[in-house]
Protein backbone atom coordinates (compact mmCIF):
# COMPACT_ATOMS: atom_id res chain seq x y z
CA UNK A 1 0.00 0.00 0.00
CA UNK A 2 1.38 3.39 -1.01
CA UNK A 3 2.37 6.06 1.47
CA UNK A 4 0.42 9.29 1.03
CA UNK A 5 2.27 12.36 -0.20
CA UNK A 6 0.29 15.06 1.53
CA UNK A 7 0.75 18.70 0.58
CA UNK A 8 -0.31 20.40 3.80
CA UNK A 9 2.42 19.22 6.20
CA UNK A 10 5.04 19.86 3.52
CA UNK A 11 3.63 23.35 2.91
CA UNK A 12 3.83 24.09 6.66
CA UNK A 13 7.52 23.14 6.70
CA UNK A 14 8.32 25.30 3.67
CA UNK A 15 6.31 28.19 5.15
CA UNK A 16 8.55 28.25 8.23
CA UNK A 17 11.51 28.94 5.97
CA UNK A 18 9.60 31.56 3.93
CA UNK A 19 8.57 33.32 7.16
CA UNK A 20 12.20 33.51 8.32
CA UNK A 21 13.39 34.78 4.95
CA UNK A 22 10.60 37.39 4.75
CA UNK A 23 11.49 38.64 8.24
CA UNK A 24 15.17 38.96 7.34
CA UNK A 25 14.46 41.35 4.44
CA UNK A 26 15.10 45.06 4.87
CA UNK A 27 11.51 45.95 3.85
CA UNK A 28 8.35 43.89 4.31
CA UNK A 29 7.83 42.06 0.98
CA UNK A 30 4.80 43.14 -1.06
CA UNK A 31 2.70 41.07 -3.46
CA UNK A 32 0.50 43.04 -5.88
CA UNK A 33 -2.55 41.08 -6.99
CA UNK A 34 -4.74 42.18 -9.88
CA UNK A 35 -8.29 40.90 -10.23
CA UNK A 36 -10.47 41.90 -13.17
CA UNK A 37 -14.24 41.53 -12.84
CA UNK A 38 -16.28 39.43 -10.42
CA UNK A 39 -15.74 35.70 -10.09
CA UNK A 40 -16.57 33.63 -7.03
CA UNK A 41 -13.70 31.15 -7.61
CA UNK A 42 -11.10 33.89 -8.08
CA UNK A 43 -12.43 35.79 -5.06
CA UNK A 44 -12.03 32.69 -2.87
CA UNK A 45 -8.51 32.11 -4.20
CA UNK A 46 -7.58 35.75 -3.52
CA UNK A 47 -8.89 35.46 0.05
CA UNK A 48 -6.78 32.37 0.67
CA UNK A 49 -3.69 34.01 -0.91
CA UNK A 50 -4.17 37.10 1.28
CA UNK A 51 -4.49 34.96 4.42
CA UNK A 52 -1.38 32.94 3.58
CA UNK A 53 0.60 36.09 2.74
CA UNK A 54 -0.37 37.73 6.02
CA UNK A 55 0.64 34.63 8.01
CA UNK A 56 4.10 34.79 6.37
CA UNK A 57 4.79 38.48 6.95
CA UNK A 58 4.02 39.44 3.33
CA UNK A 59 1.83 42.43 2.45
CA UNK A 60 -0.93 41.49 -0.01
CA UNK A 61 -1.97 44.51 -2.08
CA UNK A 62 -5.15 43.72 -4.00
CA UNK A 63 -6.22 45.90 -6.91
CA UNK A 64 -9.67 45.10 -8.31
CA UNK A 65 -10.66 46.36 -11.73
CA UNK A 66 -14.16 46.36 -13.30
CA UNK A 67 -15.28 43.64 -15.75
CA UNK A 68 -15.15 46.07 -18.71
CA UNK A 69 -11.46 46.96 -18.19
CA UNK A 70 -9.52 47.27 -21.44
CA UNK A 71 -6.16 45.58 -22.12
CA UNK A 72 -4.46 48.97 -22.21
CA UNK A 73 -5.77 49.93 -18.74
CA UNK A 74 -4.52 46.63 -17.38
CA UNK A 75 -1.11 47.15 -19.00
CA UNK A 76 -0.96 50.62 -17.45
CA UNK A 77 -1.55 49.14 -13.99
CA UNK A 78 1.10 46.45 -14.58
CA UNK A 79 3.58 49.18 -15.60
CA UNK A 80 2.73 51.13 -12.44
CA UNK A 81 3.51 48.08 -10.29
CA UNK A 82 6.67 47.37 -12.33
CA UNK A 83 8.05 50.81 -11.52
CA UNK A 84 6.89 50.83 -7.88
CA UNK A 85 9.99 49.71 -5.97
CA UNK A 86 7.89 48.75 -2.92
CA UNK A 87 6.17 46.02 -5.01
CA UNK A 88 8.23 42.81 -5.26
CA UNK A 89 5.88 40.54 -7.19
CA UNK A 90 2.78 40.74 -9.40
CA UNK A 91 0.05 38.18 -10.01
CA UNK A 92 -2.90 38.45 -12.40
CA UNK A 93 -5.86 36.42 -11.17
CA UNK A 94 -7.69 34.09 -13.52
CA UNK A 95 -10.17 33.99 -15.14
CA UNK A 96 -9.86 37.20 -17.11
CA UNK A 97 -12.74 38.67 -19.17
CA UNK A 98 -12.80 37.31 -22.74
CA UNK A 99 -11.48 40.55 -24.25
CA UNK A 100 -8.20 40.18 -22.34
CA UNK A 101 -5.50 37.80 -23.56
CA UNK A 102 -3.53 36.51 -20.53
CA UNK A 103 -0.50 35.40 -22.56
CA UNK A 104 -0.18 38.84 -24.13
CA UNK A 105 -0.78 40.77 -20.91
CA UNK A 106 1.45 38.69 -18.64
CA UNK A 107 4.46 39.52 -20.82
CA UNK A 108 4.26 43.12 -19.61
CA UNK A 109 5.17 42.02 -16.08
CA UNK A 110 8.80 42.78 -15.30
CA UNK A 111 10.49 39.30 -15.32
CA UNK A 112 11.99 39.89 -11.86
CA UNK A 113 8.46 40.46 -10.49
CA UNK A 114 6.84 37.58 -12.40
CA UNK A 115 6.16 35.33 -9.41
CA UNK A 116 4.11 32.90 -11.50
CA UNK A 117 7.23 32.21 -13.56
CA UNK A 118 5.36 32.51 -16.86
CA UNK A 119 7.27 35.35 -18.55
CA UNK A 120 9.26 34.08 -21.57
CA UNK A 121 12.47 35.28 -19.86
CA UNK A 122 11.75 33.07 -16.85
CA UNK A 123 10.78 30.12 -19.02
CA UNK A 124 14.08 30.65 -20.86
CA UNK A 125 15.98 30.52 -17.56
CA UNK A 126 14.15 27.29 -16.75
CA UNK A 127 15.41 25.85 -20.04
CA UNK A 128 18.98 26.73 -19.04
CA UNK A 129 18.49 25.24 -15.55
CA UNK A 130 18.90 28.69 -13.99
CA UNK A 131 15.35 29.53 -12.97
CA UNK A 132 14.62 31.26 -9.68
CA UNK A 133 10.91 31.85 -10.37
CA UNK A 134 9.39 28.48 -11.26
CA UNK A 135 5.71 28.03 -12.26
CA UNK A 136 3.94 27.22 -8.99
CA UNK A 137 2.11 23.98 -9.85
CA UNK A 138 5.21 22.43 -11.44
CA UNK A 139 7.25 23.50 -8.40
CA UNK A 140 4.64 21.89 -6.10
CA UNK A 141 4.86 18.60 -8.00
CA UNK A 142 8.67 18.67 -7.72
CA UNK A 143 8.48 19.29 -3.95
CA UNK A 144 6.20 16.26 -3.56
CA UNK A 145 8.44 14.06 -5.72
CA UNK A 146 11.44 15.13 -3.61
CA UNK A 147 9.49 14.43 -0.42
CA UNK A 148 9.17 10.79 -1.53
CA UNK A 149 12.97 10.59 -1.32
CA UNK A 150 13.26 8.99 -4.81
CA UNK A 151 16.61 9.43 -6.56
CA UNK A 152 15.62 10.95 -9.92
CA UNK A 153 18.86 10.14 -11.73
CA UNK A 154 18.17 7.81 -14.68
CA UNK A 155 14.55 7.16 -13.66
CA UNK A 156 11.72 6.82 -16.15
CA UNK A 157 9.52 9.88 -15.60
CA UNK A 158 6.25 9.99 -17.51
CA UNK A 159 4.22 13.20 -17.56
CA UNK A 160 0.66 13.11 -18.88
CA UNK A 161 -0.45 16.61 -19.94
CA UNK A 162 1.75 19.17 -21.73
CA UNK A 163 0.36 22.50 -20.54
CA UNK A 164 2.62 25.51 -20.08
CA UNK A 165 1.90 25.67 -16.34
CA UNK A 166 2.48 22.00 -15.48
CA UNK A 167 3.70 19.45 -18.02
CA UNK A 168 6.22 21.49 -20.00
CA UNK A 169 8.03 23.13 -17.04
CA UNK A 170 8.05 19.81 -15.18
CA UNK A 171 9.69 18.11 -18.15
CA UNK A 172 12.53 20.67 -17.94
CA UNK A 173 12.85 20.35 -14.15
CA UNK A 174 13.05 16.54 -14.35
CA UNK A 175 15.54 16.62 -17.24
CA UNK A 176 17.74 18.80 -15.05
CA UNK A 177 17.79 15.95 -12.54
CA UNK A 178 18.75 13.46 -15.30
CA UNK A 179 15.46 11.60 -15.36
CA UNK A 180 14.46 10.10 -18.70
CA UNK A 181 11.37 12.13 -19.49
CA UNK A 182 8.38 11.19 -21.65
CA UNK A 183 5.61 13.75 -22.13
CA UNK A 184 2.21 12.32 -23.13
CA UNK A 185 -0.83 14.31 -24.24
CA UNK A 186 -4.02 13.99 -26.24
CA UNK A 187 -2.05 12.81 -29.29
CA UNK A 188 -0.59 9.94 -27.25
CA UNK A 189 -4.10 8.84 -26.25
CA UNK A 190 -5.47 9.20 -29.77
CA UNK A 191 -2.62 6.98 -31.00
CA UNK A 192 -3.62 4.38 -28.36
CA UNK A 193 -0.22 4.58 -26.67
CA UNK A 194 -1.01 6.13 -23.29
CA UNK A 195 -1.17 2.84 -21.40
CA UNK A 196 2.22 1.57 -22.62
CA UNK A 197 3.97 4.79 -21.54
CA UNK A 198 2.23 4.94 -18.15
CA UNK A 199 3.12 1.27 -17.43
CA UNK A 200 6.84 2.16 -17.73
CA UNK A 201 6.69 5.13 -15.35
CA UNK A 202 8.79 4.98 -12.20
CA UNK A 203 7.62 8.54 -11.61
CA UNK A 204 4.17 9.35 -12.98
CA UNK A 205 2.76 12.87 -13.04
CA UNK A 206 -0.72 13.41 -14.43
CA UNK A 207 -2.17 16.84 -15.20
CA UNK A 208 -5.09 16.48 -17.61
CA UNK A 209 -8.44 17.13 -15.91
CA UNK A 210 -10.20 13.83 -16.75
CA UNK A 211 -11.37 11.67 -13.87
CA UNK A 212 -10.25 8.04 -14.17
CA UNK A 213 -8.08 8.64 -17.28
CA UNK A 214 -5.24 6.65 -15.73
CA UNK A 215 -6.33 3.14 -14.78
CA UNK A 216 -4.95 1.97 -11.45
CA UNK A 217 -3.76 -1.29 -13.00
CA UNK A 218 -1.45 0.63 -15.39
CA UNK A 219 0.51 2.04 -12.45
CA UNK A 220 3.92 0.43 -12.09
CA UNK A 221 4.62 -1.41 -8.82
CA UNK A 222 6.66 0.77 -6.48
CA UNK A 223 6.29 3.97 -8.51
CA UNK A 224 5.75 7.54 -7.28
CA UNK A 225 2.44 8.98 -8.50
CA UNK A 226 1.67 12.70 -8.51
CA UNK A 227 -1.92 13.46 -9.51
CA UNK A 228 -2.36 17.13 -10.38
CA UNK A 229 -5.84 16.76 -11.89
CA UNK A 230 -8.88 18.29 -10.23
CA UNK A 231 -12.30 16.97 -11.25
CA UNK A 232 -15.70 17.30 -9.67
CA UNK A 233 -17.57 13.98 -9.84
CA UNK A 234 -20.93 13.65 -8.08
CA UNK A 235 -20.08 16.43 -5.60
CA UNK A 236 -16.68 14.93 -4.82
CA UNK A 237 -13.27 16.20 -5.93
CA UNK A 238 -11.13 13.49 -7.54
CA UNK A 239 -7.91 13.40 -9.57
CA UNK A 240 -7.09 11.87 -12.95
CA UNK A 241 -5.75 8.59 -11.55
CA UNK A 242 -8.01 5.77 -10.26
CA UNK A 243 -6.90 6.16 -6.69
CA UNK A 244 -8.08 2.92 -5.01
CA UNK A 245 -6.27 0.58 -7.40
CA UNK A 246 -3.25 2.84 -7.95
CA UNK A 247 -2.71 3.12 -4.19
CA UNK A 248 -2.22 -0.66 -3.98
CA UNK A 249 0.59 -0.60 -6.55
CA UNK A 250 2.49 2.68 -6.06
CA UNK A 251 5.00 3.27 -3.26
CA UNK A 252 3.96 6.93 -2.91
CA UNK A 253 0.84 8.68 -4.15
CA UNK A 254 -0.74 12.12 -3.72
CA UNK A 255 -4.32 12.25 -2.46
CA UNK A 256 -6.80 14.46 -4.35
CA UNK A 257 -7.71 16.78 -2.76
CA UNK A 258 -4.82 17.36 -0.38
CA UNK A 259 -1.76 16.64 -2.52
CA UNK A 260 -0.54 19.24 -5.01
CA UNK A 261 -3.31 21.78 -4.29
CA UNK A 262 -2.29 22.92 -0.78
CA UNK A 263 1.28 23.57 -1.95
CA UNK A 264 0.68 25.94 -4.87
CA UNK A 265 -0.02 29.11 -2.84
CA UNK A 266 3.07 28.35 -0.74
CA UNK A 267 5.16 28.11 -3.92
CA UNK A 268 3.77 31.49 -5.01
CA UNK A 269 4.88 33.03 -1.70
CA UNK A 270 8.29 31.37 -1.99
CA UNK A 271 8.70 32.97 -5.42
CA UNK A 272 7.64 36.33 -3.98
CA UNK A 273 10.29 36.20 -1.26
CA UNK A 274 12.86 35.00 -3.80
CA UNK A 275 11.98 37.98 -6.04
CA UNK A 276 12.18 40.38 -3.08
CA UNK A 277 15.60 39.01 -2.10
CA UNK A 278 16.95 39.58 -5.61
CA UNK A 279 15.53 43.12 -5.72
CA UNK A 280 16.65 44.22 -2.27
P1 LIG B 1 -4.68 22.03 -19.80
O1 LIG B 1 -6.16 21.94 -19.79
O2 LIG B 1 -4.00 23.26 -20.23
O3 LIG B 1 -4.10 20.84 -20.69
C1 LIG B 1 -4.57 19.53 -20.57
C2 LIG B 1 -3.53 18.58 -21.07
O4 LIG B 1 -4.09 17.27 -21.06
C3 LIG B 1 -3.06 18.83 -22.51
O5 LIG B 1 -1.68 18.54 -22.59
C4 LIG B 1 -3.85 17.79 -23.30
O6 LIG B 1 -3.19 17.39 -24.51
C5 LIG B 1 -3.91 16.65 -22.32
N1 LIG B 1 -5.02 15.73 -22.56
C6 LIG B 1 -6.33 16.03 -22.74
N2 LIG B 1 -7.04 14.88 -22.92
C7 LIG B 1 -6.15 13.86 -22.83
C8 LIG B 1 -6.25 12.46 -22.94
N3 LIG B 1 -7.43 11.86 -23.17
N4 LIG B 1 -5.14 11.72 -22.79
C9 LIG B 1 -3.93 12.29 -22.57
N5 LIG B 1 -3.77 13.63 -22.44
C10 LIG B 1 -4.87 14.39 -22.59
O7 LIG B 1 -4.14 21.52 -18.38
P2 LIG B 1 -3.71 22.24 -17.04
O8 LIG B 1 -4.14 23.67 -17.00
O9 LIG B 1 -2.30 21.86 -16.82
O10 LIG B 1 -4.63 21.45 -15.99
C11 LIG B 1 -4.67 20.06 -15.93
C12 LIG B 1 -5.39 19.60 -14.68
O11 LIG B 1 -4.64 20.02 -13.55
C13 LIG B 1 -6.80 20.19 -14.50
O12 LIG B 1 -7.61 19.24 -13.86
C14 LIG B 1 -6.55 21.35 -13.56
O13 LIG B 1 -7.70 21.67 -12.79
C15 LIG B 1 -5.45 20.77 -12.69
N6 LIG B 1 -4.61 21.79 -12.03
C16 LIG B 1 -4.43 21.65 -10.69
C17 LIG B 1 -3.66 22.57 -10.01
C18 LIG B 1 -3.45 22.40 -8.54
O14 LIG B 1 -3.08 23.33 -7.86
N7 LIG B 1 -3.66 21.20 -8.00
C19 LIG B 1 -3.07 23.63 -10.70
C20 LIG B 1 -3.22 23.71 -12.07
C21 LIG B 1 -4.02 22.79 -12.73
Amino acid sequence: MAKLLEGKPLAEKIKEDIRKQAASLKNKPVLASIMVGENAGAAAYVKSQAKTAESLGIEYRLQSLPQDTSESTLVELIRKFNSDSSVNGIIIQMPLPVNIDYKKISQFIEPGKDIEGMHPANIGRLLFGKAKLIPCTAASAMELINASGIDLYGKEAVIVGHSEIVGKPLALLLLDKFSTVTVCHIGTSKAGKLEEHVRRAEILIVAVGKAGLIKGEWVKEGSVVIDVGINRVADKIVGDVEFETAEKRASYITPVPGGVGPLTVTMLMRNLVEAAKSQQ
Side-chain angles (χ1 to χ4, degrees):
M1 195 68 114
K3 291 200 180 100
L4 283 184
L5 282 171
E6 287 180 291
K8 220 169 168 186
L10 189 54
E12 289 311 317
K13 251 170 83 189
I14 299 169
K15 278 182 188 165
E16 271 175 38
D17 185 49
I18 299 174
R19 207 171 279 124
K20 273 189 211 140
Q21 296 203 43
S24 72
L25 290 164
K26 202 164 81 201
N27 302 316
K28 187 175 185 175
V30 175
L31 193 167
S33 166
I34 305 174
M35 186 161 71
V36 187
E38 304 272 327
N39 179 280
Y45 197 44
V46 159
K47 219 168 145 188
S48 121
Q49 282 175 3
K51 206 170 134 203
T52 306
E54 193 190 332
S55 77
L56 296 173
I58 294 166
E59 183 185 329
Y60 193 81
R61 218 174 270 176
L62 176 65
Q63 178 86 54
S64 298
L65 296 172
Q67 181 76 22
D68 60 0
T69 299
S70 65
E71 281 191 348
S72 59
T73 306
L74 186 50
V75 170
E76 235 172 79
L77 180 62
I78 292 170
R79 289 206 165 113
K80 193 183 111 199
F81 285 141
N82 282 343
S83 56
D84 181 344
S85 62
S86 75
V87 169
N88 304 111
I90 304 167
I91 176 173
I92 302 172
Q93 304 295 337
M94 299 298 283
L96 284 168
V98 285
N99 61 311
I100 297 177
D101 176 358
Y102 173 77
K103 272 194 190 157
K104 187 171 142 197
I105 290 299
S106 59
Q107 297 191 13
F108 287 93
I109 297 176
E110 166 71 35
K113 295 189 178 185
D114 163 41
I115 53 170
E116 290 186 279
M118 292 310 295
H119 190 284
N122 288 321
I123 300 288
R125 287 189 188 110
L126 196 61
L127 187 77
F128 291 119
K130 300 251 180 268
K132 283 194 171 164
L133 303 175
I134 297 169
C136 302
T137 312
S140 304
M142 279 307 281
E143 285 295 335
L144 288 161
I145 294 169
N146 289 333
S148 76
I150 193 171
D151 177 11
L152 294 171
Y153 197 94
K155 291 288 188 322
E156 289 284 340
V158 176
I159 302 168
V160 188
H162 75 317
S163 71
E164 277 107 23
I165 59 164
V166 195
K168 285 181 185 172
L170 258 176
L172 296 172
L173 291 166
L174 287 163
L175 280 172
D176 250 6
K177 302 289 178 198
F178 292 91
S179 294
T180 305
V181 181
T182 305
V183 184
C184 303
H185 39 71
I186 185 72
T188 320
S189 275
K190 289 258 164 81
K193 291 181 178 165
L194 187 60
E195 177 180 348
E196 72 182 66
H197 289 295
V198 170
R199 281 192 183 273
R200 271 191 298 108
E202 294 172 288
I203 302 151
L204 174 67
I205 303 127
V206 189
V208 172
K210 284 197 175 129
L213 176 71
I214 307 297
K215 307 291 167 230
E217 67 193 46
W218 298 355
V219 169
K220 192 177 172 71
E221 292 278 352
S223 60
V224 173
V225 178
I226 310 291
D227 191 349
V228 184
I230 302 174
N231 310 287
R232 185 173 286 276
V233 175
D235 272 351
K236 258 182 75 186
I237 300 289
V238 299
D240 294 340
V241 180
E242 277 181 0
F243 186 84
E244 284 72 21
T245 20
E247 183 189 30
K248 295 196 179 87
R249 299 172 64 86
S251 63
Y252 287 89
I253 189 166
T254 53
V256 180
V260 178
L263 268 170
T264 50
V265 177
T266 304
M267 294 297 109
L268 184 74
M269 301 303 160
R270 188 168 74 179
N271 279 350
L272 191 267
V273 170
E274 200 56 54
K277 266 166 50 189
S278 307
Q279 291 157 30
Q280 295 184 13

